[in-house]
Amino acid sequence: MPLSARPFAALLAALALTLGLSITGSPAAARTDETPPAAEASDVSIAADTYTWKNARIDGGGFVPGIVFNRSEKNLAYARTDIGGAYRWDQTDKRWAPLLDWIDWDKWGWSGVVSLASDTAEPDNVYAAVGTYTNSWDPTNGAVLRSSDRGASWKAATLPFKLGGNMPGRGMGERLAVDPNKNSVLYLGAPSGKGLWRSTDSGVTWSEVTAFPNPGNYAQDPSDTSGYASDNQGIVWVTFDERSGGAGSATQDIYVGVADKENTVYRSTDGGGTWSRIAGQPTGYLAHKGVLDSSTGHLYLTLSDTGGPYDGGKGRIWRYATGTGEWTDVSPVAEADTYYGFSGLSVDRQKSGTLMATAYSSWWPDTQIFRSTDSGATWTKAWDYTSYPNRSNRYTQDVSSVPWLSWGANPSPPETTPKLGWMTEALEIDPFDSNRMMYGTGATVYGTENLTSWDSGGQFKITPMVKGLEETAVNDLASPPSGAPLLSALGDIGGFRHTDLDAVPAMMFTSPNLDSTTSLDFAESSPGTVVRVGNADAAPHIGFSTDNGANWFQASEPSGVTGGGTVAAAADASGFVWSPDGAAVHRTTGYGNSWTASTGIPAGATVESDRKNPKKFYGFKAGTFYVSTDGGATFTAKANNLPAEGNVRFKALPGTEGDIWLAGGTAAGTYGLWRSTDSGTSFTRFSGVEQADSVGFGKAAAGASYQTVFVSAKIGGVRGIFRSTDGGANWTRINDDAHQWGWTGAAITGDPRVYGRVYVSTNGRGIQVGESSDTGGGGTDPDPGTDPEEPPADADCSVTYKVTNQWSGGFQADVTVTNTGATAYDGWQLGWSFPDGQKVTQMWNATSQQDGAKVTATNAGWNAKVAAGSSAGFGFSGSWTGANTEPTAFTLGGEVCTVG
């Protein structure tokens, strides 16, 4: 099935994000924002702690609709995802580096990337067209982001319309393109009838190309009242014929693809001044891609009868001779034999006349990849039937680095496991290496480094090339006190038992295989018992495990169940309460052999269990809290002064009966964080928490009397991930502006075995794992109302400086300052000199001044106070020439620090 965020999942996110920024502008010009899109540090009087962040490795897990190689610099490549941001390829480690983690809560829609463009003339420049939905689900207009340091830092030009990185047609493209001859000129194809747009100042400002005659007319389902499938897919790709210009002179011949089955290709021969439909073009199809082979002058089109990425029943490949105007159908199979559309398309820039294409919508028995070495006159396939159902493959496939890609399946021929893929709308041959090719699927990025073996009669080897690209949408998280440190409930690929956070799990949850797991729970005093529920095309929607999620068995379910809903396990594993979609709340005292409807609680309520009393369960819906003291048989309404609208999530504290924390609401109504110490009879609101969306618990700090509380919240005017070690009296922001990941409201939990460790859900950037620099749990955070003394003149300090990424002429570094003295800092300035004259170009979580080689970094408002034994961290991007030697001497307040 397709592996990307479901529209309804993002709809829930959108409903929760009523504070999303709505950006408007005049209909003829886009608004430019010259400041970095990452939020400025806010002057919030809360304590500071330094966290490091990483993903719990899954490797992939979602749709990769675009891969872009730079054509002037070897090994420079980018990938875009529909909900999880953009990535740059790191050839040294052969992994993808995320580029958009700075996107904040209010602009969560910018995590959807509808197109990418890498500048041929200046490879440091990269552009991203961002926005997730064109309908009301996304409250924020789209933008074109621009970077002059390969994505280390960005500026934004907001647009007067929305873009759809997770809309139908998102695999077509690229919609964004840089003129290879005059790189100050860019074009963007817009959806929703907004037409073709152009920038002449390197993406700073944009205006509509009013001369372009056709904004498109194709919609997947014009009758869809939500605006999702009924949106006009618009202008879908832009391609330059680089031969028609010279360095510094705008390219004259430009080709544009339009979502219009009768008029799908247009051309300008005067640098975009005038446009016309190309005569003789194929009709009845949409051109998903248009790629020009400059060595032959051929423009190739891959066509489908729909916009994709899921649908497509017929397709063709056509070739246009730009010199003569001749059109030729060069499809590899007869039209009658297609049951799929064509999309993925690439030409080999090293071998004239060599091209490849994909049958992106061939779901069964597998996708198909085609290759031609004679400009499409003849083709060969990645696999062929010998005698049905047996097939012969031109490739071998090794998924040992990401073993779950086999799906634990054992299909009958002609299906195989693993598959070549599905939703294969992105395929690119490395322009510098004919042997390397990458292609995106609905679950991963595959690639090969011996592609030309295809032509010599051998087999080319396919492996996942997806390390570092984490694209799962996270619905729920659990960290048991024993067994695996983390259990995850994920959209589209079900979820995993994570026994090693730095290793890819061997297999997702099976028996049953759920399309998306919506909720999971373990028995607090018997954590080997785990239950999970989720969505599937048919029953079952629930599974149980008695070995901490290592193995599972299916269960029966109540009649009428249509989806997972939420589920809770009794503290001692004696029973379970399930609130599924499509049916009433039910309970079972076994492992789902029989179910009895609960009374006193409405259908659709969110359910949780008390973590000490096995007879006590809780529920919530529409502002009212419900309590059961008989194992879920009957519920009684209790507190009702809670948010009546919005997403509300609550958790009970492990080891203490009746201690409940509840987060949620809407910005237009009641919104915040509440606590009950009487099993939900009454709740008290935390006055200092303006908004909160999820809450969880972790190991207590050394000497603390209460477990550590983690929230995704807005406190002191700042959105972020916060921690309290004193029951909510004081809060510490533990993420920073470079680590925000858009929307983080679905789930959060600490680790009961490791102080400070927290697991954070994202909607497209996987599971974020935060580790505190205070690994020993060194007591509670300081009271923000106190006034610590200034550090004495001989204050002790230690500094670590680490280059985290480096490329030709640029780099990125992280710096951590640790207070090794006995007195707190109340404001700090760190100084150093660059050995090779490097320059700071942008700094986050601190402000910088530079005089020649000398740099001074000054604290932000929120991390000015650093308790004894604690740390503050910041990062920056910079430029270098000749060498990039790390500094070895640092001073704090004029005194020399040790270097760690």
Side-chain angles (χ1 to χ4, degrees), residues 291-294 298 300 345-351 353-356 427-431:
V291 176
L292 196 143
D293 185 347
S294 57
H298 290 146
Y300 296 95
L345 174 65
S346 184
V347 299
D348 188 337
R349 304 292 176 181
Q350 300 293 317
K351 293 188 174 184
T354 294
L355 68 152
M356 298 179 70
L427 181 147
E428 292 295 327
I429 303 170
D430 186 334

Side-chain angles (χ1 to χ4, degrees), residues 503-772:
V504 178
M507 193 55 58
M508 70 275 287
F509 298 141
T510 58
S511 300
N513 287 74
L514 300 175
D515 299 343
S516 294
T517 299
T518 57
S519 175
L520 57 80
D521 195 16
F522 63 90
E524 189 66 42
S525 61
S526 181
T529 299
V530 187
V531 60
R532 60 184 168 94
V533 295
N535 301 326
D537 291 337
H541 296 88
I542 186 168
F544 291 92
S545 172
T546 57
D547 57 7
N548 192 241
N551 297 281
W552 295 84
F553 54 91
Q554 301 176 1
S556 66
E557 59 188 49
S559 61
V561 172
T562 59
T566 57
V567 70
D572 64 353
S574 58
F576 305 87
V577 172
W578 184 15
S579 178
D581 295 339
V585 176
H586 281 70
R587 66 183 287 259
T588 182
T589 54
Y591 292 109
N593 294 322
S594 63
W595 294 89
T596 304
S598 304
T599 61
I601 185 171
T606 300
V607 295
E608 297 282 355
S609 64
D610 191 89
R611 310 311 285 181
K612 185 173 183 180
N613 185 340
K615 293 296 184 181
K616 194 170 284 188
F617 287 84
Y618 305 113
F620 176 88
K621 187 175 183 181
T624 300
F625 200 82
Y626 299 86
V627 181
S628 172
T629 58
D630 56 6
T634 61
F635 283 81
T636 302
K638 296 290 185 179
N640 59 10
N641 59 336
L642 299 168
E645 297 180 338
N647 291 324
V648 174
R649 298 165 178 83
F650 65 94
K651 291 290 183 182
L653 185 75
T656 302
E657 183 175 349
D659 193 341
I660 304 157
W661 293 60
L662 182 144
T666 64
T670 305
Y671 203 172
L673 180 69
W674 290 259
R675 182 187 175 194
S676 173
T677 57
D678 56 9
S679 298
T681 300
S682 62
F683 281 84
T684 301
R685 182 173 180 173
F686 287 87
S687 59
V689 180
E690 298 149 63
Q691 301 175 3
D693 291 85
S694 57
V695 59
F697 309 102
K699 184 178 180 179
S705 59
Y706 200 83
Q707 293 178 43
T708 303
V709 184
F710 296 95
V711 291
S712 174
K714 185 177 183 180
I715 301 175
V718 176
R719 254 289 170 187
I721 308 301
F722 291 85
R723 182 193 73 192
S724 176
T725 59
D726 54 10
N730 299 286
W731 295 96
T732 300
R733 186 188 182 201
I734 59 174
N735 71 320
D736 55 56
D737 291 345
H739 300 89
Q740 299 192 79
W741 317 292
W743 192 70
T744 56
I748 191 170
T749 185
D751 192 311
R753 290 171 274 186
V754 180
Y755 169 73
R757 180 183 289 171
V758 62
Y759 306 104
V760 180
S761 70
T762 73
N763 187 42
R765 270 290 287 124
I767 305 164
Q768 297 294 329
V769 181
E771 302 278 9
S772 173

